[in-house]
Amino acid sequence: MSVTTSATGTRADTTPEPDTTQVKARERLPLWVILAPLLGGLALAVAGAVSVGTVNIPFGDVWAIIVHHVTPGSFEPWWTEARDAIVIDSRLPRALTAAVVGAALAIAGAVAQAVTRNPLADPFLLGVSSGAGFGVVLVTVLGVGGGALGVFTLPTAAFLGALLPLAGAIAISVRTQAVTAIVLVGVAMSMVFSALITFTLLVLGNDHQIGTVMRWLAGGFGDATWTMLAIPAAVLFIVGSGVLACSRQLNLLHVGDDGAAALGMNVQRFRILTLLAVSLLTAAAVAVSGTIGFIGLLIPHIAGYLVGRNSSRLIPVAAVSGAVALVVADIIARAVSNSTELPVGVVTGLIGAPLFLVMLWHR
């Protein structure tokens, strides 16, 4: 509201500022108006990810192959078995893994920002990525449990390592409700595990082991399979549903701890549970993709611009937006060069950092 002064005195001009009007107009839009085009974009992005590669497959063939496997016998196949294998066994699980990881990181980032009331919070706030990296280093360099679970050895090590920093955060949460203390614990844990990673690689690792760890840390979906997709998808469905069910409590945190407690909320217990949810989502995502930055930091802000800060609207929009963003990033990573595949984490960093700076400049 603006105030104007005239010869007869001072009067209030009740016309909202343009930015406020636009924000309220977006918040009044039905959720499906925002989600429908995003879901359509996700379908196109997945189809594009399956279509583009060293062997390009037409969109029509991609959808026909997928429909044929979903409903066998619906029509007579006209494509080769090689194309069928490329779509079903290689590219489709990779694209869906990227979508699941993007959605998980976006939800984790949105929850982290809400529970800490920090717009710069991201899924790796508690040192989860460093803990996961240390788990990978233990398996790769020191051979702890190496090969015991076959292709699941590195993802399992990353998942368990990612949960280590959570223990420190929960221990501090039990002793204090100060958000700053929890964030500082995450920073300290991240520095400790990063130092351990560097020390182990430089002192004990060889060139091949260092290369393996560095490729994992850069992020990517080259090893994605249907079996590997199952774990992050299950965690996303279960934890994501639980977080969405707690939208009202997340909204209460916007008024501060004292205000939320006055409205009957056990802030300390809820913060511990939400930190656990953030860490589980991030650990499941990092376990199959490595460290991928800026999705969990940037996407919640974009979703908030589209639908406001109401968590019941923000979380589903952030999830679909994150899925679209990471599938597109994976397409770019594969399309940059025919001779080598760029790590997805590099793509999200190169695109996400400038976008985030632009957002900070305008806001």
Side-chain angles (χ1 to χ4, degrees):
M1 178 187 302
S2 60
V3 178
T4 59
T5 304
S6 65
T8 58
T10 302
R11 68 181 178 84
D13 182 0
T14 56
T15 303
E17 299 294 337
D19 289 345
T20 304
T21 303
Q22 294 174 9
V23 170
K24 290 188 178 297
R26 289 193 295 268
E27 291 178 353
R28 286 195 297 266
L29 283 174
L31 185 59
W32 67 267
V33 174
I34 304 295
L35 280 179
L38 285 175
L39 289 170
L42 177 59
L44 287 175
V46 170
V50 176
S51 175
V52 175
T54 51
V55 177
N56 291 326
I57 302 175
F59 267 39
D61 288 9
V62 169
W63 288 115
I65 292 171
I66 294 173
V67 171
H68 177 71
H69 281 267
V70 173
T71 58
S74 53
F75 47 80
E76 188 68 24
W78 64 83
W79 53 86
T80 64
E81 293 185 2
R83 287 197 169 187
D84 189 286
I86 290 173
V87 170
I88 298 301
D89 298 331
S90 178
R91 294 183 186 173
L92 185 58
R94 175 174 180 147
L96 293 180
T97 300
V100 167
V101 169
L105 291 177
I107 293 175
V111 174
Q113 291 171 11
V115 78
T116 62
R117 299 195 302 278
N118 180 359
L120 298 180
D122 71 355
F124 310 124
L125 180 72
L126 300 180
V128 170
S129 61
S130 298
F134 183 62
V136 171
V137 167
L138 286 179
V139 170
T140 305
V141 177
L142 301 182
V144 178
L149 299 176
V151 296
F152 294 102
T153 300
L154 282 186
T156 302
F159 182 80
L160 294 178
L163 296 182
L164 291 177
L166 179 63
I170 291 178
I172 293 297
S173 298
V174 172
R175 295 181 60 86
T176 178
Q177 296 186 17
V179 176
T180 304
I182 299 171
V183 173
L184 289 176
V185 169
V187 172
M189 299 290 277
S190 179
M191 294 178 67
V192 168
F193 283 114
S194 295
L196 289 173
I197 291 172
T198 303
F199 174 83
T200 306
L201 288 178
L202 293 180
V203 175
L204 303 175
N206 56 42
D207 291 342
H208 175 71
Q209 293 169 339
I210 292 175
T212 299
V213 174
M214 294 304 294
R215 281 193 298 273
W216 183 90
L217 291 175
F221 303 100
D223 297 327
T225 62
W226 286 110
T227 306
M228 200 171 291
L229 169 64
I231 296 175
V235 173
L236 174 64
F237 177 77
I238 296 171
V239 179
S241 300
V243 166
L244 189 59
C246 295
S247 297
R248 177 180 173 275
Q249 289 83 349
L250 287 171
N251 291 334
L252 289 179
L253 291 177
H254 293 162
V255 301
D257 289 2
D258 293 339
L263 294 172
M265 178 178 169
N266 188 327
V267 177
Q268 185 179 22
R269 182 176 64 186
F270 182 73
R271 178 165 287 122
I272 293 174
L273 290 175
T274 49
L275 288 175
L276 177 62
V278 168
S279 295
L280 285 175
L281 284 169
T282 308
V286 167
V288 298
S289 69
T291 305
I292 296 177
F294 279 99
I295 295 295
L297 174 62
L298 184 62
I299 295 300
H301 289 285
I302 296 175
Y305 175 80
L306 292 175
V307 297
R309 305 307 300 180
N310 186 333
S311 295
S312 62
R313 293 164 59 85
L314 174 66
I315 290 173
V317 171
V320 181
S321 301
V324 174
L326 201 50
V327 173
V328 172
D330 187 48
I331 294 174
I332 295 173
R334 291 189 289 120
V336 167
S337 173
N338 293 327
S339 59
T340 184
E341 181 177 312
L342 196 66
V344 179
V346 173
V347 175
T348 58
L350 290 175
I351 296 176
L355 282 177
F356 192 66
L357 291 175
V358 170
M359 290 179 61
L360 290 176
W361 177 265
H362 286 288
R363 296 180 63 180

